[in-house]
Amino acid sequence: MPYQPMPLRLETARLTLRPWAESDVDNHRALAAERGAGTPSIERSRQVIATQLAAPALTGIALLAVNRRERGDFIGYCGLIVGHSSVDEPEIAYELFRSAHGSGYATEAASAVLDAAITTGRKRLWATVRSWNTPSFRVLEKVGFERDHVSTDDRGELVWLTRSLP
Ligand SMILES: CC(C)(COP(=O)(O)OP(=O)(O)OC[C@H]1O[C@@H](n2cnc3c(N)ncnc32)[C@H](O)[C@@H]1OP(=O)(O)O)[C@@H](O)C(=O)NCCC(=O)NCCS
């Protein structure tokens, strides 16, 4: 692989980004439940966590669990995924508990993930956002992404944003 592996532990002023653990099953289930389509089974959440844990060995990138440093509590995840894009030019992704929204945490985590992406040697990242998702657009704007194009899938419009890395 032409890239360095992404660091799997990142510290910011208020947050720690770290690999998922098997003990995050309840965290994962609670976060997924906030999407409004029910709570995933324990088995399903275990599978998702196992997939996240296996990703770095396959792609060199990862979605990381996010904890607040002061309280030590899990608030969500942020990281890089292949998503709709590619291993060379992956997507940034994030999701936080509603109770943690509005404090700048996503911006802080995304900024650390950008720095981590730079250390891998990658030159471009993408993000795909549903057109209604104003908070996500704002996070991406704050960390330097620009709108590129719009595609459509069975869930509607998907806005593609991109950011060059130095
Ligand atoms: C997207 C998400 C991670 C943002 O988390 P967050 O920690 O609240 O984000 P931040 O506080 O860093 O920044 C949010 C920005 O959006 C702004 N914002 C939030 N709601 C808004 C609204 N309805 N209209 C306009 N701006 C809004 C905030 O004011 C803030 O901007 P500011 O710093 O200029 O004031 C969170 O909303 C989330 O988890 N959503 C569900 C999952 C999701 O949509 N993930 C992204 C998929 S592409």
Side-chain angles (χ1 to χ4, degrees), residues 94-96 101-102 104-107 128 133-136 138-139 142:
Y94 37 70
E95 181 173 9
L96 301 179
H101 291 183
Y105 291 134
T107 305
T128 54
N133 199 340
T134 310
S136 187
R138 181 71 189 122
V139 170
K142 286 192 285 180

